[in-house]
Amino acid sequence: MNLMMLLEMAASGFSDRVAFTNGTDALTYTALYDAAGQAASQLRNGNDAHLAMLDVSSLALPVALFAAAWAGKPFVPINYRLSDAEIDALLERIAPCTLVTDAAHVAKLADREGVTCIESEAFLQAARDGQQSVAADWSMEQEDTAVLLFTSGTTGAPKAAVLRHRHLVSYLLSSVEFGSAADDEVILVTVPPYHIAGVVSVISAVYAGRKVVQLASFNARRWIELARAERVTNAFLVPTMLRDVVAELDAQGQEGIPSLRALAYGGGKMPRAVIERAMQLLPQVEFTQAYGLTETSSTVCVLRPNAHRAALVSDDPAIQRRLTSVGQALPGIELQIRDAQGRALASGERGEIYVRGEQVSGEYVGKGSLLDDAGWFATRDAGELDDEGFLFLEGRADDVIVRGAENMSPGEIEDVLLSHAAVADAAVVGVADEQWGEAVAAVVVLEPAVEVDAQELRNWVKAHLRSSRVPRDVFFAEQLPYNETGKLLRRVVREQLATAGDVC
Amino acid sequence: MAELKPGARFKSAVCETEVVVIAAPEGELQVTCGGVSMLGEGESADSDSQLAAEAGGGTELGKRYTNAAGDTELLCVKPGDGSLAVGGETLVIKGAKPLPSSD
């Protein structure tokens, strides 16, 4: 099994159709296949063990991803927002490597031992200009590593997740039908290459035959302009991006995005107000929420368009509530909720989410596979399933606050705080407490030009939840710390509270 | 007869069809296209092989072909005129499960 098998099929099925464009330049499926072969041939001439990429999305991304698969070298996308020291530490772990990167990093890293730097533009140009005769001779060994992804490190130092060809091919075969995109389908992709959604979006679009328009750095106004200009039909956004798009559409007060048919979102918690407003502003759009992890080759659960609609029109609270779920397991994926002792729990009971399936890797460099004997992966996410298998996330298992003998999820308290008109954003964490072990602390961002005091917010929580959930401490802040894909960094909130005692 | 290991590639001896094994039971099995044994890596066709008329349904690019038991699955990576069979059982196209695009 090899990702190249998927591109080979696409090249023979869709040859001269445009596969990727950045608005000014484009690669057809045939051109992408040929360029991947030329770049693979270059890679094989050297002794580098990995092909790393440290740059925003560009036409060089699909060429590098497939060239690495062809040459049998793991592809390692690296976060370009990291500091020089952090980047250096990651490069040390994958040296010797070829590094495709921007001009600024080429200048900084040109002399670094074990790293062969090439500027993204030059890499792409060389791949397009190459004249080598290249055989379709990629390895079909399914255990070969396709991608190494450094996990975002919301809970400590980055780990290198191993995704083998069999994991990614299995995900593709079970979730995407070959050539299923209509001729006029165009997806606007703005997730960065170093995120699992960025990697998988390349492969999914190629296999479906869906043209990709790349937007290297997200900005809501530019995103909307491009969606209109390129007649975009499909898109994926993380919650913070959708929030910005909704705000921009509201500000423009115009007709929305007429060409858009399907919008998928995921990667973090979606505030209910944002998705409801998005559904009102874009009434023709089918919304799909995806939940997945790097270690599971991306999506394992989807909340389908019909479930979105049903939740919006239903009078049944159990169905309405599903709009805040991440949906049901994909075919070929099993979910289980377990308690702290590892016992499987019934629906409606909260515990840690376990997942099993062909696409689930659960393996890190240097740590081996973390799957249990029966193939289950512990996600470290907490949640519960309802009677029909809809999964409700309750934050990270490590984020659960233990007050006295009572376990409580920060997400539940945050939801209540967010439902207060004056609250723009909220984070809830556990802080040390002499009497209870842990106490509830809330950091709140207020809407502009609104005033509300801590006691009013405590009363608000008390009116909606049992009294143990009422925050002992309420702090006000200008903003909360998020990573670039919209995941709240509770670890950072906790650290700020511990060191400063207040984050105002 | 051949071992159908996941990832193994087979070519038709009588048409353009090529398949990759996605899943199959362990052990030696006969995989045919157009009624004639398919060729594994490095094997070549007898010059007198001909497509059997009753096995001329054809293959489609990107379709997955499976048996009734569901334990054998081949992915068509190049289409051709012959139809596929494993152990004498003709394989059929595995129905697509409509899923919304999530990425």
Side-chain angles (χ1 to χ4, degrees):
Chain A
M1 226 53 84
N2 190 300
L3 297 178
M4 269 309 300
M5 173 183 88
L6 309 177
L7 175 57
E8 183 191 29
M9 291 164 67
S12 83
F14 322 132
S15 51
D16 292 332
R17 264 158 69 179
V18 169
F20 289 84
T21 178
N22 55 19
T24 51
D25 193 6
L27 281 171
T28 65
Y29 288 92
T30 303
L32 172 56
Y33 179 89
D34 290 343
Q38 295 301 323
S41 146
Q42 283 298 315
L43 272 175
R44 282 180 176 171
N45 288 339
N47 294 317
D48 292 337
H50 300 92
L51 174 59
M53 184 163 221
L54 175 70
D55 203 351
V56 296
S57 270
S58 72
L59 299 183
L61 167 65
V63 173
L65 173 62
F66 286 109
W70 195 324
K73 318 255 178 183
F75 178 67
V76 192
I78 296 176
N79 186 345
Y80 45 82
R81 287 196 173 87
L82 296 177
S83 68
D84 290 350
E86 288 168 320
I87 289 169
D88 195 69
L90 297 185
L91 290 172
E92 189 59 38
R93 289 162 67 176
I94 56 166
C97 68
T98 297
L99 179 67
V100 179
T101 188
D102 55 56
H105 283 102
V106 169
K108 282 185 204 168
L109 293 163
D111 296 329
R112 197 196 185 290
E113 205 179 324
V115 179
T116 314
C117 285
I118 179 166
E119 202 179 331
S120 302
E121 274 294 314
F123 170 83
L124 177 65
Q125 202 55 50
R128 287 170 134 178
D129 291 347
Q131 298 289 334
Q132 301 289 318
S133 140
V134 188
D137 59 353
W138 51 83
S139 162
M140 285 294 273
E141 172 51 58
Q142 60 172 2
E143 297 296 338
D144 285 352
T145 300
V147 177
L148 290 183
L149 264 179
F150 290 103
T151 59
S152 54
T154 52
T155 53
K159 290 177 287 192
V162 178
L163 297 175
R164 300 180 184 277
H165 282 278
R166 69 180 164 94
H167 299 124
L168 290 165
V169 170
S170 159
Y171 169 68
L172 260 290
L173 293 181
S174 68
S175 67
V176 182
E177 188 66 17
F178 178 76
S180 56
D183 287 349
D184 64 345
E185 273 186 36
V186 179
I187 183 164
L188 180 50
V189 173
T190 186
V191 272
Y194 58 82
H195 190 275
I196 181 64
V199 171
V200 165
S201 75
V202 169
I203 312 164
S204 285
V206 161
Y207 200 62
R210 186 179 295 116
K211 177 171 131 181
V212 174
V213 176
Q214 298 173 318
L215 175 58
S217 70
F218 177 80
N219 157 309
R221 183 171 300 176
R222 178 78 189 118
W223 187 90
I224 293 166
E225 272 171 16
L226 203 54
R228 289 176 181 152
E230 297 281 342
R231 293 198 177 80
V232 164
T233 58
N234 295 58
F236 177 88
L237 291 173
V238 300
T240 48
M241 292 175 180
L242 184 60
R243 185 191 62 202
D244 292 353
V245 166
V246 163
E248 179 66 22
L249 285 172
D250 261 331
Q252 291 184 2
Q254 285 180 10
E255 78 281 19
I257 305 165
S259 60
L260 195 63
R261 292 174 206 155
L263 208 159
Y265 61 92
K269 188 175 175 60
M270 174 65 79
R272 187 168 176 149
V274 172
I275 185 62
E276 287 186 353
R277 186 70 187 130
M279 290 170 74
Q280 288 163 357
L281 287 167
L282 302 167
Q284 85 285 9
V285 171
E286 308 247 87
F287 286 87
T288 299
Q289 175 165 208
Y291 163 68
L293 298 91
T294 303
E295 296 87 341
T296 60
S297 309
S298 82
T299 309
V300 291
C301 272
V302 287
L303 183 70
R304 293 162 198 257
N306 56 4
H308 278 82
R309 282 189 295 269
L312 213 54
V313 301
S314 177
D315 297 327
D316 181 347
I319 293 175
Q320 287 174 354
R321 176 172 175 254
R322 287 184 184 153
L323 197 53
T324 61
S325 81
V326 294
Q328 295 161 301
L330 288 184
I333 288 290
E334 295 170 272
L335 298 173
Q336 209 173 64
I337 309 294
R338 296 188 190 171
D339 67 12
Q341 285 71 46
R343 289 178 299 231
L345 295 172
S347 61
E349 295 186 303
R350 193 174 293 173
E352 184 177 353
I353 302 163
Y354 280 69
V355 57
R356 179 164 76 171
E358 295 281 326
Q359 71 188 65
V360 177
S361 148
E363 180 186 350
Y364 303 100
V365 172
K367 293 183 196 290
S369 170
L370 300 190
L371 303 185
D372 70 14
D373 291 344
W376 291 95
F377 175 65
T379 63
R380 307 302 298 141
D381 280 336
E384 65 178 75
L385 290 163
D386 76 6
D387 292 340
E388 290 184 41
F390 284 82
L391 178 65
F392 292 82
L393 295 185
E394 309 283 356
R396 299 291 284 172
D398 305 328
D399 292 334
V400 168
I401 301 166
V402 186
R403 181 183 182 275
E406 202 176 349
N407 288 4
M408 49 188 93
S409 111
E412 179 187 34
I413 305 167
E414 286 163 4
D415 283 345
V416 168
L417 287 167
L418 284 167
S419 69
H420 189 287
V423 174
D425 206 355
V428 167
V429 296
V431 289
D433 182 271
E434 278 188 20
Q435 186 180 359
W436 298 101
E438 272 191 304
V440 177
V443 181
V444 171
V445 180
L446 294 180
E447 293 286 356
V450 182
E451 286 202 21
V452 63
D453 65 14
Q455 195 52 45
E456 180 177 339
L457 293 177
R458 285 194 194 98
N459 292 343
W460 180 260
V461 174
K462 197 168 186 174
H464 291 82
L465 297 171
R466 67 185 96 150
S467 60
S468 58
R469 265 75 173 162
V470 174
R472 184 194 75 186
D473 306 328
V474 178
F475 300 99
F476 295 95
E478 293 292 316
Q479 57 180 17
L480 296 175
Y482 285 93
N483 75 5
E484 54 286 336
T485 53
K487 211 177 266 180
L488 176 65
L489 298 172
R490 279 206 185 74
R491 174 176 57 88
V492 175
V493 175
R494 272 194 294 267
E495 284 166 6
Q496 287 172 343
L497 288 178
T499 53
D502 104 33
V503 292
C504 307
Chain B
M1 301 291 270
E3 185 120 17
L4 305 190
K5 272 186 61 181
R9 193 164 177 137
F10 290 89
K11 291 182 183 199
S12 172
V14 293
C15 71
E16 298 294 307
T17 299
E18 288 185 32
V19 298
V20 168
V21 177
I22 302 300
E26 285 185 18
E28 301 261 303
L29 289 163
Q30 185 173 46
V31 56
T32 61
C33 177
V36 180
S37 280
M38 295 188 83
L39 309 169
E41 216 68 47
E43 295 176 337
S44 54
D46 294 339
S47 53
D48 57 353
S49 294
Q50 281 196 342
L51 194 150
E54 69 278 11
T59 51
E60 285 180 59
L61 178 64
K63 294 296 181 197
R64 294 187 285 164
Y65 290 85
T66 185
N67 61 352
D71 60 1
T72 303
E73 190 175 315
L74 306 179
L75 174 68
C76 174
V77 297
K78 271 190 192 153
D81 297 329
S83 45
L84 301 165
V86 169
E89 180 187 354
T90 300
L91 304 185
V92 296
I93 289 178
K94 187 170 174 175
K97 295 172 293 269
L99 259 186
S101 165
S102 61
D103 45 40

